[in-house]
């Protein structure tokens, strides 16, 4: 865990910000990007913050296949 201005996030340094996204009424925000083949087998960790309320989302860890 790492302390941020919004509280403890379930990620370790280095942390990279992906940018600001706007969620739809269901709370879903989508960011599409290309992933290089050499990333296969790595795990991506992510977490978001609602900038209006300052609340953190649940964290997600996904393996790249």
């Amino acid at each position: 865990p790492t302390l941020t201005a919004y509280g403890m996030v379930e990620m370790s340094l280095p942390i990279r910000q992906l940018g600001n996204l706007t969620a739809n009424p269901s709370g879903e925000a989508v960011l599409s990007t290309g992933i290089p083949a050499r990333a296969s087998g790595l795990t991506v960790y992510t977490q978001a913050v609602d900038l209006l309320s300052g609340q953190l989302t649940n964290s997600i860890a996904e393996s790249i296949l």
Side-chain angles (χ1 to χ4, degrees):
T2 302
L3 182 61
T4 70
Y6 301 101
M8 296 296 281
V9 295
E10 296 180 23
M11 296 182 286
S12 298
L13 297 173
I15 297 172
R16 299 184 192 271
Q17 182 176 338
L18 296 177
N20 294 338
L21 302 173
T22 301
N24 65 22
S26 299
E28 180 182 56
V30 177
L31 173 69
S32 297
T33 187
I35 299 175
R38 67 181 180 275
S40 180
L42 296 178
T43 301
V44 174
Y45 301 87
T46 188
Q47 193 166 7
V49 62
D50 180 329
L51 293 175
L52 294 177
S53 69
Q55 287 189 321
L56 292 165
T57 65
N58 294 330
S59 61
I60 298 172
E62 291 289 334
S63 295
I64 299 173
L65 302 175

